Amino acid sequence: MSDKTGGAEESVPPEALLVQMAAEIPGIVWSTDLDLRFSSCWGAGLADLSVRPNQVVGMSLLDYFGTDDLEVHPIPAHLRALEGETVALEQEWQGRTYEARIAPLCADGGRIVGCTGIAQDVSEKRRLEEALRQTQDRYRLAIAEGRAGVWEHDLERHKIYVHPSLRALLGYTEEDFDEGETAFYEMVHPDDRARLAAEVQAHLDGRKPGIDLEFRVCHKDGGIRWVVTRGSQLCDASGKPFRILGTVVDVTDLKAVRSSLEESEAKYRALVEQSLQGVFLVQGFRVVFTNPAFAQMLGYTVEELTSLPPDQVQTIVHPDDRALVWGRCEARAEGRDVPARYEYRITRKDGVGGWLEISAHRIWYRGKPAVQGAVVDITERKRAEEALRRAHGDLEERVRQRTAELDAVNKQLRLEIAERERTEQELRQSEERYRRLVEMMNEGLVVLDGNMRLAYVNDRFCEILGCARDELIGRPVAGYRGIVNRHLFREQLARRRQGESLSYELVATRRDGQQVSLLVSPRALFDDAGRFAGSIAVVSDVTDRKRAEEALRESEARRMEAEKLAATGRLAARVAHEINNPLAGITNCFRLVKAAVPPDHRHYKFTEIIEKEIDRIGRIVRQMFQVHRPYQEMVRDVLVADTIGEVVAILTPNCRERRVRVETHVDPARMTIQIPEGSLRQILYNLLANAIEASPPDGLVTVTAAAAEADRAVQITVADQGGGIPDAVRDHVFEPFFTTKEDDFAGGLGLGLPISKGIVDLLQGSLDFQTDPGGGTTFRLLLPTAII
């Protein structure tokens, strides 16, 4: 094979050609080694088993069929093939019927090195054979059991002769059957006698070419049967009619089946028409069918959309996606294998763009291939949903059977019966098509009856709640215990009875205990008299979307807090820089002045006061600078107990002044942590200083350090017995320059905790607190990489 493009001929390698041909084989082709492990697996039929080509290579047959028993089919057939025998068999697998042929795989020298197999899906063939057999049986029984018969009307003798099968149809024997015209018409239903007489007379008068009428007859047991009669007159040489020959067939059961099928089709058509999911049918770039939901997605009415010419239909798809969408649509109509599920952009009638997710497959519509699609508007949320499987519909051939007992008129009757059978089959196919549309929806579907009991749920709804269908069908929906916000649910059910159909959200608990968020889009149903007849609702699982929205809100809050802290830090560093330069000049000048004042001078004591105040200003400046750029030092092993003891010793004067005791507990006592020692010291100093200041006289501050082995971390807590942190200021504790202190202890600038929080964040640790008004506050410090 070659493809001539631009004057150059490119050949396809034989190996690639074989792979391509194997992939296009309608069935399944595979090979195994001597250990019955797959060495290859190809064929278009793999898609029906949800298996990709060569996906099972290396897997044994026992593993694939999930068994350890060598007697389970088709394992014995492969074993026989390894012994040189070619085996043919029929196998049921995953709801399908396959005809398979398994043969030995031989090397060049004839040595058996494995098996080869080919399988063909004959499920549809078996179904058609069974349908044909049943149809043939019905035709045979139609005569044998008296469901059809022949009658003869002698116009000169005014008698009507009937075939024994017709007498049996009416429940009469030969002895009690009167051949008179009056007696025959008395067996016809009173409401139909005039119609039958008029039909016969119209034929005799030449106004109708034959008798063709469907009417009711009275069975001997008092029952009513529906029959169809066909007949025509016989005339003598002068053209005078002297006899009428006709046939009768019982169509009571056929009418009941047709009525049931029409009712079923109407029900499923209503489901499609009322579905919130768009459904359409495209043939030759024309929309030949659409439900209101799809037309509404595009901003058209159903009539507008189905009347658009092909060039305007193509413009509905965004220009950048037209090649993809219409290329796949055309390829699918031709029967080629293209992805069934994908996303694309659209342009609505009003010019507004949007996104749709489509699941499409090829069907036969009025004798030609067409593409049927189910779409969901994903403009607001684009999420992947499970693929729709492609389905094929075939038309069943009409079955004809000749019988010896029926004449030429009866042949026409058989054609009529065959036509009725074809109509019945089309109704079944239509019902099945609508049923599959409902079952393959990407959202849950719930149908309630007029008593608010669950009449139908699809597989997706059961999957969302983690329940089996048998657990739900027939139960009152208000009694489902998994609904969390039950008051809202009952209120919505009451509104549904009033005809309201607004969407709302619920929270439900699955059978496995997980909670899911649900978006319910209901619609009330009413009968012809306006009475409430039930409800239909589409249920979407929006749990992931809710979680994503919550995560986004939390991330935005953290980002704003970080930006606020960074801006405050830069401002503090700028102010500290501007103060530090003149402060250095003041310090140098003061040292010259102090050196010039004798110690015995009566004002010498003020120099010490000035020096302390200059040091305090310097300490404040350094704290402000550290808000922007914390001091960096080398990481080393630090004894936690020693560092805590040193900080407690530094703050001993503060404890005496405020009459506060400090107790420390470190377990293990020699616990170390890899950390910049100055950073740990500063964090502990700020936490302890705040705890001492917050404690009442004779209060107790407790410092506890322990190893958190599961987290590879050290946890240090500082607890006081103060009045706690008020609710109004808890969210501002770690903000720079926020303070509730009224004296100058520890600077009073509100920088201690922000500096400590910044250092902890750099160390990839955490710092938080718990407080109880009137019961004290506990700060918890968690630092990583503990070494015990």
Side-chain angles (χ1 to χ4, degrees), residues 5 18 63 568 648:
T5 305
L18 289 175
D63 291 338
T568 305
V648 172

Side-chain angles (χ1 to χ4, degrees), residues 152-168:
E152 179 182 346
H153 188 180
D154 189 336
L155 298 176
E156 296 177 346
R157 301 174 61 190
H158 302 288
K159 289 188 176 184
I160 297 177
Y161 304 97
V162 297
H163 189 272
S165 61
L166 181 56
R167 291 199 300 269

Side-chain angles (χ1 to χ4, degrees), residues 426-736:
E426 289 179 350
L427 289 174
R428 288 197 189 98
Q429 290 177 348
S430 177
E431 177 185 354
E432 180 63 21
R433 180 166 60 252
Y434 285 111
R435 184 188 301 276
R436 279 187 289 138
L437 282 173
V438 171
E439 287 299 334
M440 293 189 296
M441 287 177 60
N442 298 319
E443 309 293 343
L445 183 68
V446 181
V447 178
L448 305 180
D449 61 19
N451 296 321
M452 284 299 182
R453 292 180 177 272
L454 288 162
Y456 172 80
V457 294
N458 66 352
D459 292 341
R460 176 57 180 154
F461 182 76
C462 296
E463 179 184 343
I464 291 174
L465 294 184
C467 298
R469 186 173 302 185
D470 294 342
E471 302 176 37
L472 301 174
I473 297 300
R475 298 180 181 273
V477 67
Y480 181 68
R481 299 182 178 274
I483 301 300
V484 176
N485 38 359
R486 299 184 61 82
H487 177 73
L488 171 63
F489 184 50
R490 293 180 181 273
E491 179 181 330
Q492 289 294 333
L493 292 180
R495 291 183 177 181
R496 198 86 50 81
R497 289 183 176 275
Q498 304 302 319
E500 294 188 18
S501 300
L502 299 178
S503 299
Y504 60 96
E505 292 188 1
L506 285 177
V507 177
T509 302
R510 287 169 46 88
R511 190 171 186 178
D512 57 11
Q514 296 182 359
Q515 284 194 348
V516 292
S517 298
L518 305 177
L519 175 62
V520 183
S521 302
R523 179 167 296 180
L525 303 176
F526 295 89
D527 58 18
D528 294 339
R531 295 186 297 268
F532 179 75
S535 172
I536 182 173
V538 175
V539 181
S540 303
D541 185 352
V542 296
T543 306
D544 293 340
R545 189 188 72 187
K546 289 290 186 181
R547 291 173 180 169
E549 291 173 352
E550 181 64 24
L552 181 60
R553 285 193 294 269
E554 293 177 356
S555 176
E556 182 65 16
R558 288 194 298 269
R559 183 187 64 80
M560 294 179 63
E561 183 65 24
E563 290 180 354
K564 179 179 178 181
L565 183 60
T568 305
R570 288 191 295 270
L571 175 62
R574 180 67 179 272
V575 173
H577 177 73
E578 294 298 329
I579 295 175
N580 202 41
N581 289 336
L583 183 62
I586 294 173
T587 301
N588 292 334
C589 293
F590 171 72
R591 289 174 180 170
L592 295 174
V593 172
K594 181 179 180 181
V597 178
D600 57 352
H601 192 280
R602 63 189 182 89
H603 294 307
Y604 183 79
K605 63 181 181 179
F606 293 110
T607 61
E608 296 179 351
I609 296 174
I610 294 172
E611 186 173 22
K612 289 181 179 179
E613 292 303 312
I614 291 175
D615 289 340
R616 191 169 76 90
I617 293 174
R619 185 169 65 255
I620 292 173
V621 169
R622 287 191 298 274
Q623 288 182 347
M624 292 176 64
F625 187 72
Q626 282 190 324
V627 173
H628 178 63
R629 188 177 65 186
Y631 175 69
Q632 301 292 324
E633 61 176 309
M634 295 296 294
V635 175
R636 67 184 185 86
D637 291 347
V638 177
L639 282 169
V640 177
D642 291 351
T643 304
I644 293 175
E646 293 171 2
V647 174
V648 172
I650 294 172
L651 292 171
T652 298
N654 302 71
C655 294
R656 291 198 192 99
E657 180 181 349
R658 296 182 178 272
R659 292 159 48 196
V660 174
R661 292 184 301 111
V662 178
E663 290 184 358
T664 63
H665 305 279
V666 180
D667 182 24
R670 302 298 297 173
M671 178 172 56
T672 63
I673 183 173
Q674 291 183 336
I675 193 173
E677 183 178 12
S679 297
L680 178 60
R681 191 186 305 275
Q682 184 169 3
I683 296 170
L684 292 174
Y685 182 91
N686 291 333
L687 295 180
L688 271 169
N690 286 346
I692 293 170
E693 182 182 359
S695 297
D698 299 324
L700 175 65
V701 174
T702 304
V703 182
T704 303
E709 295 186 20
D711 298 328
R712 295 287 297 166
V714 168
Q715 177 177 291
I716 301 175
T717 59
V718 178
D720 62 52
Q721 297 177 340
I725 301 175
D727 293 340
V729 301
R730 291 180 184 178
D731 294 337
H732 307 286
V733 166
F734 294 111
E735 293 182 3

Side-chain angles (χ1 to χ4, degrees), residues 130-385:
E130 177 62 20
L132 177 60
R133 185 191 62 77
Q134 294 178 0
T135 302
Q136 291 172 339
D137 290 343
R138 285 197 297 271
Y139 282 126
R140 284 193 294 267
L141 290 174
I143 298 300
E145 296 182 1
R147 293 174 56 190
V150 181
W151 56 271
E152 179 182 346
H153 188 180
D154 189 336
L155 298 176
E156 296 177 346
R157 301 174 61 190
H158 302 288
K159 289 188 176 184
I160 297 177
Y161 304 97
V162 297
H163 189 272
S165 61
L166 181 56
R167 291 199 300 269
L169 171 66
L170 301 178
Y172 291 92
T173 63
E174 184 176 1
E175 290 74 15
D176 57 13
F177 191 84
D178 190 344
E179 296 180 348
E181 291 178 341
T182 303
F184 179 82
Y185 275 94
E186 286 179 353
M187 291 184 294
V188 179
H189 191 279
D191 295 341
D192 294 339
R193 292 171 186 170
R195 290 196 304 116
L196 178 60
E199 182 78 7
V200 173
Q201 191 61 46
H203 175 53
L204 294 176
D205 294 343
R207 288 179 283 118
K208 295 192 67 174
I211 299 172
D212 186 355
L213 185 66
E214 183 178 284
F215 59 96
R216 291 162 291 180
V217 296
C218 300
H219 197 275
K220 184 178 180 180
D221 62 6
I224 302 297
R225 307 293 294 180
W226 278 92
V227 297
V228 172
T229 184
R230 299 280 192 280
S232 61
Q233 62 185 351
L234 299 177
C235 300
D236 57 17
S238 63
K240 178 183 178 181
F242 66 91
R243 192 180 300 260
I244 301 176
L245 295 179
T247 61
V248 173
V249 64
D250 184 356
V251 295
T252 305
D253 295 340
L254 185 60
K255 286 179 65 69
V257 170
R258 182 169 56 186
S259 175
S260 175
L261 290 175
E262 289 174 351
E263 179 182 352
S264 179
E265 181 182 13
K267 178 179 66 175
Y268 283 100
R269 179 177 293 275
L271 286 175
V272 172
E273 292 292 337
Q274 298 176 12
S275 173
L276 299 181
Q277 188 178 50
V279 180
F280 68 89
L281 192 64
V282 172
Q283 189 177 64
F285 299 105
R286 295 188 70 97
V287 179
V288 296
F289 170 80
T290 178
N291 70 344
F294 182 64
Q296 186 178 7
M297 290 178 189
L298 303 179
Y300 293 89
T301 65
V302 173
E303 292 75 15
E304 289 175 337
L305 190 56
T306 54
S307 62
L308 288 179
D311 55 342
Q312 286 188 251
V313 171
Q314 295 182 57
T315 61
I316 293 174
V317 181
H318 190 278
D320 294 342
D321 292 343
R322 286 175 190 168
L324 169 70
V325 174
W326 295 117
R328 289 184 176 179
C329 181
E330 190 172 15
R332 186 175 301 283
E334 294 173 356
R336 287 180 282 160
D337 187 15
V338 292
R341 184 176 177 179
Y342 54 94
E343 300 170 357
Y344 65 95
R345 290 164 290 181
I346 60 168
T347 303
R348 291 167 47 88
K349 179 182 178 182
D350 56 9
V352 177
W355 277 90
L356 296 181
E357 182 177 13
I358 183 174
S359 178
H361 61 278
R362 179 172 179 257
I363 67 171
W364 286 93
Y365 180 75
R366 295 183 178 177
K368 295 181 180 180
V371 175
Q372 178 178 281
V375 296
V376 177
D377 188 342
I378 59 170
T379 304
E380 299 298 330
R381 56 172 185 83
K382 292 178 56 181
R383 299 182 305 179
E385 297 174 339

Side-chain angles (χ1 to χ4, degrees), residues 77 80 86-90 100-102:
R80 291 165 60 186
T86 298
V87 184
L89 71 155
E90 186 170 290
R101 182 180 178 87
I102 303 169

